[in-house]
Amino acid sequence: MSLETSEHALSETARVARDLIRIDTSNRGGGDAEPELPAAEYVAAYLRELGLEPEIYETDPGRASVIARVAGADASLPALVLHGHLDVVPADPANWSVDPFAGVIRDGMLWGRGAVDMKDMDAMILTAVAELLRGGERPRRDVILAFFADEENGGVYGAQHLVRHHPELFAGAETAISEVGGYSIDIAGTRAYLIQTGEKSLEWIRLRARGTAAHGSRVWHDNAVTRLAEAIAALGRHEWPVTLTDTTRDLVDAIAEILGEDPHQVSPEDLVLRLGKGGGFIQASLRSTSNPTVLQAGYKHNVIPDTAEALVDVRALPADQATILDQIRAIVGDDIELEQVHSDIGLEVPFAGELVDAMTASLKRADPEARVLPYLLSGGTDNKSLARLGITGYGFAPLRLPADLDFPGMFHGVDERVPLEALDFGHAVLADLLRTY
């Protein structure tokens, strides 16, 4: 399908998602990002056309979030926060088969950075709200729309800042819905939708080894690079134990039932890995992880440096957060300095209650044969920030996907893409949810 011939055939949801992808909001972390402001202005203009009064909040020049409130039919009900983020992780065009910021339509899919994480959901939120308001309807309860900056950097310039400095924006809200949940996976021919009911804690740490600088030709045993390399190898190879939470236990039991296996005879990890393309993503929810991601040392080939540093992405199960840094110190040794760069809480909420019932019902109205299961996200979302206000958050970006599409593998991956039909499915499910919850 060519760009030219597809233009008029695109749904509004696909057009909005494509437009947002074409606004480069790459976030390299640490305050280094293409500003979200152009995307925020696009979203705000869309919402104004619906008769809403969005506000743009800049926490740093260009680092912009959008907040708007939609009045519900029953003001006595607690409000729902429906939120997405406007930033994306960087993409190297040399690795992609399309321009990651061109919003290419090909093979019935929308391609580009953000097609999965999470400009697809941003578009679904906008057009679901538009469907109701243009038709003279209102959601059942007040809905607080939030499109945050800086989620890919832990929300420092986005959700964290607004929760800390403008908590009144979320007054009256008890529940929230955001990304990385609601999409379908294939389990031995059974289509199942995963609602995200928890997420790991976040610990971004820096490890630092110190030694003595010297000429590169010396026999030298006080080498910071060697010391750091040994520590990083030990940590990177460490196997954290499988530990089931309430969420992962329920998920593993459901997988075993669908596969016709006894969960007492087959290990949780083996059951999860039988999910194929979706298994690798869920596997990380069964244990804490600690992955080295950046190494920095030295400045010249023939100079032994006196320091060497590494960044490590640590994702602990919620119950492990209090002890995991002490465990890491024991693994890397006393001569390695450990610095916390960024920390955030883990979450786990019940797979029960009115919102869960409503999400499940909306999915089943759109796909009557579907199974709906809980899962724990190995990463994190802006629900962490909202939880500090007592708001219970779930991941629910509903997408009905082809069984052979490795959708989870495209989060932060190459050739990110989403089926056009899935975007329309998600739009319809979210609109139904706003009417009924």
Side-chain angles (χ1 to χ4, degrees), residues 328-352:
I328 289 173
R329 288 186 179 96
I331 293 167
V332 301
D334 294 338
D335 58 348
I336 301 295
E337 300 170 13
L338 188 155
E339 174 191 346
Q340 277 183 286
V341 177
H342 182 74
S343 178
D344 214 337
I345 59 174
L347 303 172
E348 188 167 22
V349 298
F351 186 55

Side-chain angles (χ1 to χ4, degrees), residues 416-428:
E416 199 176 331
R417 60 198 182 276
V418 63
L420 299 177
E421 290 182 353
L423 291 173
D424 295 335
F425 176 91
H427 157 95

Side-chain angles (χ1 to χ4, degrees), residues 62-390:
R63 307 308 304 277
S65 301
V66 183
I67 308 291
R69 195 168 189 121
V70 185
D74 187 346
S76 70
L77 295 173
L80 168 71
V81 182
L82 190 53
H83 64 102
H85 61 83
L86 297 174
D87 61 324
V88 296
V89 295
D92 183 354
N95 297 328
W96 285 56
S97 59
V98 300
D99 180 342
F101 298 103
V104 172
I105 307 295
R106 193 174 78 182
D107 302 326
M109 297 190 184
L110 171 63
W111 297 60
R113 179 59 89 213
V116 169
D117 183 13
M118 65 170 294
K119 291 177 175 177
D120 58 336
M121 176 63 165
D122 293 337
M124 287 154 48
I125 291 170
L126 289 169
T127 59
V129 171
E131 179 178 321
L132 268 66
L133 297 184
R134 288 171 184 162
E137 299 179 81
R138 285 193 287 172
R140 181 167 173 251
R141 66 186 65 225
D142 282 9
V143 175
I144 300 165
L145 301 174
F147 299 86
F148 292 120
D150 202 40
E151 190 273 347
E152 298 293 359
N153 184 50
V156 175
Y157 295 101
Q160 272 200 35
H161 181 95
L162 292 181
V163 162
R164 185 176 297 116
H165 297 286
H166 297 283
E168 71 281 357
L169 295 173
F170 309 100
E174 289 187 358
T175 52
I177 290 173
S178 188
E179 59 175 330
V180 205
Y183 62 88
S184 69
I185 62 170
D186 180 76
I187 306 176
T190 295
R191 188 165 49 252
Y193 293 83
L194 301 176
I195 292 180
Q196 190 252 97
T197 58
E199 47 191 69
K200 286 181 171 181
S201 66
L202 171 62
E203 298 288 351
W204 285 340
I205 63 173
R206 178 181 285 109
L207 299 180
R208 183 181 295 109
R210 298 189 185 274
T212 304
H215 196 285
S217 66
R218 298 281 301 274
V219 175
W220 207 249
H221 301 296
D222 190 22
N223 189 314
V225 175
T226 302
R227 188 168 292 128
L228 179 71
E230 290 169 344
I232 282 295
L235 183 58
R237 291 176 180 144
H238 182 75
E239 288 286 333
W240 298 94
V242 169
T243 305
L244 296 185
T245 70
D246 290 343
T247 297
T248 53
R249 186 175 292 105
D250 287 348
L251 175 61
V252 166
D253 287 348
I255 293 169
E257 176 201 339
I258 293 170
L259 295 177
E261 297 283 2
D262 182 347
H264 301 290
Q265 300 297 320
V266 183
S267 75
E269 203 157 24
D270 287 342
L271 284 169
V272 164
L273 289 175
R274 286 178 59 180
L275 300 182
K277 296 185 187 310
F281 198 67
I282 298 172
Q283 179 188 18
S285 71
L286 304 180
R287 64 175 84 215
S288 297
T289 58
S290 52
N291 286 307
T293 54
V294 176
L295 293 171
Q296 296 173 323
Y299 59 90
K300 197 171 188 298
H301 208 136
N302 61 348
V303 178
I304 298 171
D306 58 2
T307 60
E309 296 182 347
L311 302 183
V312 184
D313 188 343
V314 180
R315 308 291 177 129
L317 296 173
D320 291 346
Q321 184 174 16
T323 61
I324 195 161
L325 294 187
D326 287 339
Q327 295 180 69
I328 289 173
R329 288 186 179 96
I331 293 167
V332 301
D334 294 338
D335 58 348
I336 301 295
E337 300 170 13
L338 188 155
E339 174 191 346
Q340 277 183 286
V341 177
H342 182 74
S343 178
D344 214 337
I345 59 174
L347 303 172
E348 188 167 22
V349 298
F351 186 55
E354 186 180 359
L355 177 53
V356 170
D357 291 344
M359 290 187 289
T360 301
S362 290
L363 278 171
K364 286 186 169 291
R365 279 190 285 273
D367 188 355
E369 302 303 317
R371 292 286 302 268
V372 182
L373 309 176
Y375 91 111
L376 184 79
L377 175 63
S378 59
T381 74
D382 283 327
N383 277 329
K384 293 181 185 296
S385 294
L386 294 172
R388 299 180 189 277
L389 299 176

